[in-house]
């Protein structure tokens, strides 16, 4: 072989190797849906979605069942990983949340067809997939949101590319891997759920701009909701809340106190629906506080200590992330108060403009504001909810008061005489979701919200009336 021929052969081999290398990402087994680059994750999900829609609805239902089963089997592991990785929340409560998402998130039964029939024939309005959905998930409910979004989005015929919170990376990636395995074992396509090995805001931005992504769903704070709504794509924004609890003079005061402490301390206040401030009419406020103490609250009465706590947990008008989702005893220790571990919530009386009231803290710290009557309570509750229209809770036996508050506050979830978590299906009727879309109005999102309405018209036939 001449020198030139050798050179050409070497060059060809190099080009072939490079081509092989380029082909790899889309084809590699990439650890069950986890890719190095966002573009690869999206391309693989696109291929998977095309395979998914070739399956029957019955087969699609089997994939949903497989995700539910895998989520239930791993509920404890997911909870342990999330607490260890994020340093937030409570193991036992996270198990409850994972099981809730696995069992009560609607599947394909959520896709209901509308029918019109008459002299001109038969028309169907059916719910069809968007294609590939980009879903951004929070650190507060990492696996719960992935379970809930995967079930709803796949039930509607989509593939989903996740952009998890970097602080919940390992937990989120593990859940994605487990669900992909379950889907493939149940006869579904590989890479129906994908993500990147190192999630970041930069990777999320690539996802938000990618032409293959037809819908974006953000579950998180105001920043990410604004980002998806500015993307120019169809978007669902499930944003922040600051749920107020109103207690009036007609309530069962001990039950109200017990329910409020239970809701506020659930997963150390991480759920966006959890009680964040109490507004109580003055005639029952003392009794309410006494009962709260009986049911696991520690009251701070010293004004200096309340200020110290405020300086500790509120940072530039936002919650100090170091204390989000921590135990009450841990937080109190930082201001020199030692309480036994069975103290679940710290309570304190403040005025309605206090930062502990107005800032969404996501900690078991519960300020109480005393007001003259129920009208003042409702007015203040509407103000401190900031128009998020997320969640509100009321303890009252007066139907007119309940109706007045519900009408005034216009929240997506309104819980009467129960802990806030009844609103997401723990001890309350109705289906579960961990993506509560107040700003964009879908409310408690499920498969029907991840689908497009399409009309199919057959003229002059099949109306048999
Ligand atoms: P976060 O806003 O810090 O992060 C949420 C996700 O958005 C993460 O994956 C993060 O990486 C990403 N992100 C943030 N800014 C972004 C941007 N500009 N572009 C692209 N991606 C971006 O929220 P968190 O601390 O993980 O979660 C707590 C917040 O989420 C609270 O405000 C809570 O009320 C809210 N939340 C709402 C719901 C709901 O259903 N409405 C559910 C859970 C949490």
């Amino acid at each position: 072989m001449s020198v030139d021929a050798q050179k050409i052969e070497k060059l060809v081999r190099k080009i072939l190797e490079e081509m092989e290398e380029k082909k790899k990402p889309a084809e590699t087994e990439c650890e069950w849906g986890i890719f190095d680059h966002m573009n690869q994750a999206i391309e693989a999900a696109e291929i998977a979605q095309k395979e998914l829609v070739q399956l029957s609805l019955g087969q699609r239902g089997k994939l949903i069942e497989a995700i539910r089963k895998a989520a239930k089997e791993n509920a404890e592991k997911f909870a342990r990983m999330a607490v260890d990785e994020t340093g937030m929340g409570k193991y036992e409560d996270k198990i409850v949340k994972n099981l809730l998402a696995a069992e009560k998130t609607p599947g394909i039964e959520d896709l209901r067809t509308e029918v019109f029939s008459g002299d001109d024939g038969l028309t169907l309005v059916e719910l069809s997939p968007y294609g590939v959905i980009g879903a951004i998930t929070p650190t507060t409910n990492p696996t719960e949101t992935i379970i809930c979004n995967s079930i709803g989005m796949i039930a509607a015929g989509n593939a989903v590319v996740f952009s998890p919170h970097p602080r919940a990376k390992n937990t989120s990636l593990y859940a994605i891997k487990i669900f992909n395995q379950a889907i493939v074992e149940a006869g579904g396509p590989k890479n129906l759920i994908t993500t990147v090995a190192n999630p970041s805001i930069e990777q999320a931005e690539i996802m938000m701009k990618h032409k293959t992504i037809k819908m974006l769903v953000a579950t998180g704070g105001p920043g990410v909701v604004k980002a998806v709504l500015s993307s120019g794509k169809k978007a669902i924004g499930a944003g922040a809340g600051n749920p107020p609890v109103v207690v009036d003079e007609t309530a069962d005061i001990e039950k109200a106190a017990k329910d409020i402490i239970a809701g506020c301390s659930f997963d150390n206040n991480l759920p966006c629906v959890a009680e964040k401030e109490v507004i109580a009419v003055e005639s029952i406020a003392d009794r309410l506080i006494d009962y709260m103490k009986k049911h696991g609250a520690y009251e701070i009465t010293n004004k200096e200590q309340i200020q110290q706590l405020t300086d500790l947990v509120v940072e530039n008008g936002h919650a100090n992330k170091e204390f989000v989702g921590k135990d009450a005893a841990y937080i109190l220790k930082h201001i020199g108060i030692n309480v036994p571990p069975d103290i679940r919530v710290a309570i304190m009386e403040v005025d309605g403009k206090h930062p502990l009231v107005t800032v969404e803290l996501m900690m078991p710290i519960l300020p109480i504001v005393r007001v003259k009557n129920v009208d003042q309570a409702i007015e203040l509750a509407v103000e401190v909810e900031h128009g998020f229209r997320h969640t509100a809770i009321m303890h009252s036996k007066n139907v007119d008061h309940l109706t007045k508050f519900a009408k005034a506050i216009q929240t997506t979830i309104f819980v009467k005489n129960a802990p806030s978590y009844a609103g997401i299906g723990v001890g309350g009727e109705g289906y579960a979701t961990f993506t509560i879309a107040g700003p964009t109005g879908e409310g408690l999102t499920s498969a029907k919200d991840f689908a497009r309405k399409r009309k199919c018209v057959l003229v002059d036939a099949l109306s048999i009336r």
Side-chain angles (χ1 to χ4, degrees):
M1 205 188 282
S2 71
V3 177
D4 279 354
Q6 269 181 357
K7 266 192 185 162
I8 290 168
E9 193 190 324
K10 211 171 148 190
L11 194 67
V12 169
R13 205 179 301 129
K14 195 164 168 244
I15 291 170
L16 284 174
E17 275 170 13
E18 278 176 11
M19 282 170 65
E20 202 52 40
E21 198 54 34
K22 275 201 186 131
K23 254 185 6 198
K24 245 186 197 167
E27 289 178 3
T28 71
E29 286 313 314
C30 283
E31 264 250 281
W32 298 102
I34 296 153
F35 292 82
D36 287 339
H37 301 288
M38 184 52 88
N39 289 341
Q40 299 162 352
I42 295 171
E43 283 159 26
E46 188 180 22
I47 295 168
Q49 197 267 338
K50 292 202 169 108
E51 290 174 34
L52 174 68
V53 287
Q54 296 306 316
L55 302 181
S56 68
L57 282 177
Q59 286 168 310
R60 204 190 286 177
K62 288 208 170 74
L63 307 187
I64 300 301
E65 285 314 310
I67 299 174
R68 290 191 202 283
K69 184 165 173 278
K72 283 195 261 184
E73 284 169 2
N74 283 279
E76 290 171 24
K77 174 137 196 202
F78 289 166
R80 174 54 54 217
M81 287 183 80
V83 171
D84 288 350
E85 184 176 16
T86 65
M88 303 191 300
K90 290 196 214 159
Y91 169 68
E92 297 75 17
D93 295 343
K94 286 198 185 290
I95 297 174
V96 174
K97 287 164 71 186
N98 283 320
L99 291 173
L100 179 75
E103 286 165 359
K104 287 178 95 172
T105 302
I108 54 170
E109 73 285 359
D110 201 42
L111 307 171
R112 294 197 194 99
T113 300
E114 269 183 274
V115 182
F116 302 83
S117 72
D119 293 342
D120 288 335
L122 175 75
T123 291
L124 305 177
V125 177
E126 297 228 281
L127 294 175
S128 281
Y130 274 88
V132 183
I133 298 181
I136 305 176
T137 55
T139 183
T140 47
N141 314 318
T143 51
E144 301 87 320
T145 313
I146 288 174
I147 298 168
C148 171
N149 284 179
S150 298
I151 291 176
M153 291 170 187
I154 293 172
N158 306 287
V160 48
V161 180
F162 279 107
S163 180
H165 197 294
R167 278 176 57 205
K169 175 182 110 171
N170 296 333
T171 314
S172 305
L173 265 54
Y174 178 74
I176 289 167
K177 188 173 136 185
I178 291 291
F179 296 151
N180 271 310
Q181 283 172 347
I183 289 168
V184 171
E185 274 167 29
K190 63 180 183 181
N191 300 322
L192 204 47
I193 307 173
T194 64
T195 189
V196 286
N198 285 304
S200 63
I201 298 221
E202 293 70 38
Q203 295 286 335
E205 279 167 358
I206 296 173
M207 181 175 90
M208 287 194 273
K209 290 193 188 120
H210 200 289
K211 67 177 184 348
T212 301
I213 299 287
K214 299 297 183 212
M215 175 189 241
L216 288 164
V217 179
T219 309
V224 67
V225 169
K226 190 167 174 221
V228 298
L229 294 185
S230 321
S231 67
K233 291 181 190 284
K234 166 76 184 176
I236 293 181
N242 194 34
V245 196
V246 168
V247 187
D248 77 6
E249 64 285 0
T250 69
D252 175 338
I253 305 300
E254 176 156 15
K255 182 178 181 301
K258 194 171 167 216
D259 286 355
I260 292 168
I261 297 300
C264 174
S265 61
F266 186 58
D267 205 18
N268 275 342
N269 204 256
L270 288 180
C272 47
V273 295
E275 290 81 350
K276 301 281 187 291
E277 60 277 335
V278 175
I279 304 166
V281 300
E282 64 185 3
S283 60
I284 51 88
D286 287 337
R287 267 198 303 143
L288 183 71
I289 291 170
D290 285 345
Y291 279 127
M292 282 177 155
K293 290 198 273 193
K294 180 179 162 191
H295 289 285
Y298 175 86
E299 188 185 11
I300 311 176
T301 49
N302 180 308
K303 290 223 158 24
E304 272 171 31
Q305 284 180 323
I306 295 174
Q307 189 55 49
Q308 267 180 289
L309 180 70
T310 310
D311 295 341
L312 183 79
V313 299
V314 181
E315 214 179 38
N316 304 322
H318 297 283
N320 180 346
K321 286 210 175 350
E322 206 190 311
F323 296 98
V324 169
K326 298 288 194 214
D327 292 341
Y330 174 88
I331 300 169
L332 291 178
K333 206 170 167 195
H334 282 75
I335 56 162
I337 300 176
N338 288 308
V339 294
D342 60 340
I343 288 296
R344 292 187 285 159
V345 173
I347 57 172
M348 65 292 303
E349 275 199 64
V350 293
D351 66 62
K353 303 237 177 277
H354 198 279
L356 294 180
V357 172
T358 56
V359 176
E360 184 199 30
L361 291 177
M362 294 181 289
M363 306 167 194
I365 290 176
L366 191 62
I368 300 166
V369 185
R370 205 182 272 253
V371 291
K372 281 208 158 33
N373 53 41
V374 76
D375 289 335
Q376 276 189 11
I378 291 173
E379 198 179 316
L380 179 61
V382 171
E383 190 184 318
V384 301
E385 210 269 332
H386 306 302
F388 290 145
R389 302 204 277 185
H390 195 297
T391 297
I393 304 105
M394 188 172 198
H395 293 270
S396 171
K397 293 276 171 63
N398 183 314
V399 178
D400 293 337
H401 292 179
L402 289 163
T403 309
K404 188 171 184 187
F405 184 28
K407 273 195 173 182
I409 199 149
Q410 290 288 322
T411 46
T412 305
I413 297 180
F414 187 78
V415 179
K416 301 169 186 135
N417 299 322
S420 54
Y421 47 63
I424 52 167
V426 183
E429 290 299 330
Y431 66 93
T433 187
F434 281 87
T435 296
I436 300 157
T440 47
E442 292 79 5
L444 285 92
T445 57
S446 59
K448 65 181 183 321
D449 304 299
F450 308 126
R452 297 167 56 228
K453 280 191 171 183
R454 295 174 56 216
K455 191 175 181 187
C456 191
V457 183
L458 177 69
V459 174
D460 289 346
L462 281 183
S463 172
I464 54 167
R465 284 191 287 172

